Amino acid sequence: MNWSDRLEVAFNQGHDEGKRRHVRFPESREGGPFEISGTANLATVRLGTGSVTGNMQQNAAAFETWCLALHVVCKAEAVVLEWELPQDEGDPHYQRFLYRLRHFTSLFDWFSIGHPERLGASRLNPGSTLLLNAPAKRLGSDDLETEGEAALERACLRDPAFFEFFGCKRDGTEIVGRQLPVGVFESTVSKANAVFPGAKGAIDLYALKDDCFWLFELKAGANIPAGTLSEVFFYTCLMRDVCLGTIQPSHDDGRRIANAKRIDAWIVGHKLHPLLDRALSQVLSVLQAAIDTRWAGAPAVRIRSIALPGERDCFVVPTGKAD
């Protein structure tokens, strides 16, 4: 079965010519970084080592988006995920994969893991002291960039209309920031104790006001990969665990996040990936319905997307409301 053809046909069914999109799975090949097999009713996704230890934005690593697409768009009744074990199961990138996988599995009955015992390699064990790292002093190198995501971040950070559009009124009682780290460490914050990667990963923009925490993943121009959902899902799970006390903050903003009763996570960009565009796809709606059912109680969690008018590094207030 050609799963990419099935995806594209199913995705575009019922869309008029102006809304049809070229939507494909990553290249599927045996022994490669990504492979889909099985029947129309039972699909198996297999990830290679590089897909479980690499950048979660990469197409082949974005299992959340592709498994949702198989179920929601291709109508597979069940999806099984298998993967090749890395040489070092303590690799922080692999630990992050296991964390994402554990949380994703908790949401869906139609999704399962080929070897559930492998989750036992996770270092996030009950009783462990897990710390979220604090923001480092910015060196300012990307402040010289005049285009791309760094420039878009600065434009949004400076513009009160950006935060107010999403419900955070700028009246002096709020906290807004850029590049909130998402590294997790055991017992003490040090390279030797890293559970998740802590060097470069960060939430692009964030805001705190009253009992709400907003996080934003920004993508400038046409750079909206399917893996953006993997990023936002990971960040959201992490902040939820900070609120639940599973992970301890190590800085003032983190301690305020821990008291949040609501987490609003947003994918924001000029051109959304078709599967992440709520006007074209039910992928985010199905994910949100599962969150509402399985993660009931505080903090309430919402994951949404919105396309910005304009292009590249400018912010223009979208028409309508952020719902």
Side-chain angles (χ1 to χ4, degrees):
M1 177 183 296
N2 188 316
W3 286 96
S4 282
D5 286 351
R6 182 181 176 91
L7 174 64
E8 186 156 3
V9 170
F11 181 88
N12 287 309
Q13 189 172 16
H15 287 169
D16 59 36
E17 191 67 31
K19 288 189 174 182
R20 292 185 180 179
R21 298 291 187 272
H22 183 63
V23 185
R24 313 288 288 178
F25 287 109
E27 180 187 3
S28 175
R29 56 187 175 87
E30 186 175 355
F34 184 90
E35 180 187 0
I36 308 178
S37 60
T39 66
N41 292 328
L42 175 60
T44 298
V45 175
R46 183 183 181 279
L47 303 180
T49 302
S51 298
V52 300
T53 59
N55 187 333
M56 58 185 165
Q57 283 193 72
Q58 293 176 350
N59 260 350
F63 72 84
E64 297 95 335
T65 301
W66 304 125
C67 290
L68 279 163
L70 283 166
H71 179 68
V72 177
V73 183
C74 297
K75 305 302 181 184
E77 294 180 7
V79 179
V80 179
L81 184 71
E82 298 181 349
W83 67 94
E84 184 180 355
L85 284 174
Q87 289 187 343
D88 179 11
E89 293 186 63
D91 180 330
H93 293 276
Y94 182 64
Q95 289 292 315
R96 183 177 61 191
F97 164 77
L98 294 178
Y99 178 81
R100 291 161 48 209
L101 185 55
R102 184 185 295 275
H103 282 78
F104 192 79
T105 304
S106 74
L107 293 173
F108 302 108
D109 292 331
W110 51 263
F111 177 79
S112 61
I113 303 171
H115 299 279
E117 72 280 358
R118 292 182 179 180
L119 291 177
S122 173
R123 292 177 58 189
L124 272 73
N125 300 313
S128 299
T129 300
L130 300 169
L131 302 173
L132 183 71
N133 60 331
K137 184 177 180 180
R138 295 185 60 81
L139 298 177
S141 58
D142 64 355
D143 291 332
L144 300 176
E145 296 183 20
T146 58
E147 59 182 15
E149 288 181 27
L152 179 61
E153 285 176 26
R154 294 197 305 275
C156 294
L157 186 63
R158 289 193 300 262
D159 193 339
F162 174 83
F163 293 98
E164 291 186 10
F165 176 78
F166 292 101
C168 179
K169 185 173 178 59
R170 301 291 298 270
D171 59 9
T173 64
E174 78 288 343
I175 292 176
V176 299
R178 178 180 170 210
Q179 294 295 301
L180 183 70
V182 291
V184 171
F185 300 81
E186 188 172 6
S187 300
T188 59
V189 178
S190 67
K191 185 175 181 179
N193 291 340
V195 178
F196 299 155
K200 295 182 179 179
I203 295 169
D204 288 339
L205 291 180
Y206 65 97
L208 284 155
K209 185 178 175 66
D210 299 327
D211 62 355
C212 185
F213 173 69
W214 291 263
L215 69 88
F216 304 93
E217 179 60 26
L218 304 180
K219 298 297 182 187
N223 180 27
I224 304 286
T228 304
L229 178 57
S230 297
E231 280 188 288
V232 170
F233 183 71
F234 169 65
Y235 299 155
T236 303
C237 292
L238 200 60
M239 295 302 111
R240 179 174 179 265
D241 277 345
V242 169
C243 294
L244 295 175
T246 305
I247 296 172
Q248 304 299 318
S250 61
H251 52 90
D252 289 342
D253 284 0
R255 282 182 274 274
R256 285 197 60 178
I257 293 169
N259 293 321
K261 299 296 187 293
R262 193 175 92 221
I263 298 173
D264 278 6
W266 284 94
I267 297 168
V268 180
H270 295 106
K271 293 183 180 179
L272 299 174
H273 188 284
L275 291 171
L276 307 184
D277 187 336
R278 293 187 295 159
L280 300 175
S281 170
Q282 293 297 309
V283 162
L284 289 185
S285 297
V286 169
L287 174 60
Q288 186 61 54
I291 288 172
D292 292 342
T293 301
R294 298 293 179 90
W295 291 356
V301 171
R302 292 189 295 180
I303 299 178
R304 290 166 289 174
S305 67
I306 192 166
L308 295 177
E311 58 184 17
R312 300 182 71 82
D313 57 352
C314 63
F315 170 68
V316 178
V317 177
T319 57
K321 296 182 178 179
D323 58 7

